[in-house]
Amino acid sequence: MRIVFIGPPGAGKGTQAERLIETYHLAHLSTGDMLRAARDARTEVGQKADQYMSRGELVPDDIIVEIIRQRLDRPDCREGYLLDGFPRTIAQAESLDKMLNTKGTPLDVVLEIRVPEEELFRRLAGRGRADDQPEVIRQRLVAYRKQTEPLLEYYGKQGLLNSVDGLGSVDDIFARLRTVLDRQPK
Ligand code: AMP
């Protein structure tokens, strides 16, 4: 299965992604993880990306799209993957559609985890990552609302969107995600 996983920062996407890739044998393509690794390795891309990440802003589309283009060419993507944190803008989604259409491997499903904003802020404030300072958190939520939420309509129109309630225990949320994936045609 080729899956896009969408949710605001603090929705618990990372935790659920770990479970999903194990259960469904998917490659895990987290652009946040890739960018943090590039930043920590002090590559040119990593240092450029950090200027945006540290402010809670999105990294420019051309950088991200190129990272994903290269990643999708790797052999572990052939059996399916979970795109976690990508796409985050309409332009990224359009680039992805083009790439996948060229390969003849369109997306199967888009999963959204929904969590009310007050709850997100409360969770993020307790997490302690470098980009979890209150002002940076606020900016990341603004970026989500303005730039990423329009994807819900984009994928809704394609008939791919499935939203699940992100409140409850990790097990509850995982069960909801499984219900969606288990009804996908094999
Ligand atoms: P994440 O771990 O997914 O929350 O990503 C951490 C940070 O990396 C984000 O706040 C952005 O600055 C950057 N980032 C990750 N994925 C993307 C993307 N698809 N487009 C732009 N920026 C991204």
Side-chain angles (χ1 to χ4, degrees), residues 100-148:
L100 297 185
N101 287 339
T102 306
K103 288 176 188 283
T105 57
L107 293 172
D108 295 300
V109 60
V110 175
L111 297 172
E112 179 210 5
I113 303 194
R114 272 182 187 269
V115 178
E117 199 156 297
E118 318 81 72
E119 171 68 10
L120 294 173
F121 207 90
R122 203 179 58 75
R123 292 187 193 176
L124 288 163
R127 203 161 72 168
R129 221 166 68 180
D131 53 355
D132 284 342
Q133 300 304 312
E135 182 47 33
V136 180
I137 293 174
R138 202 190 60 76
Q139 182 51 49
R140 286 169 57 216
L141 291 172
V142 167
Y144 182 78
R145 210 181 315 123
K146 287 204 180 146
Q147 292 170 275
T148 306

Side-chain angles (χ1 to χ4, degrees), residues 31-32 35-36 53 57-59 64 85-86 88 92 129:
T31 43
L35 292 171
R36 281 185 287 276
M53 295 166 77
E57 293 171 11
L58 294 186
V59 172
I64 292 287
F86 177 91
R88 264 189 163 82
Q92 291 177 17
R129 221 166 68 180

Side-chain angles (χ1 to χ4, degrees), residues 15-53:
T15 308
Q16 298 297 336
E18 293 302 333
R19 290 197 168 194
L20 290 171
I21 56 165
E22 205 166 296
T23 304
Y24 295 92
H25 310 289
L26 305 164
H28 185 195
L29 276 52
S30 159
T31 43
D33 286 350
M34 293 177 210
L35 292 171
R36 281 185 287 276
R39 178 194 62 196
D40 295 347
R42 301 183 155 275
T43 66
E44 200 178 316
V45 164
Q47 293 192 352
K48 184 151 186 221
D50 187 43
Q51 297 169 18
Y52 299 90
M53 295 166 77

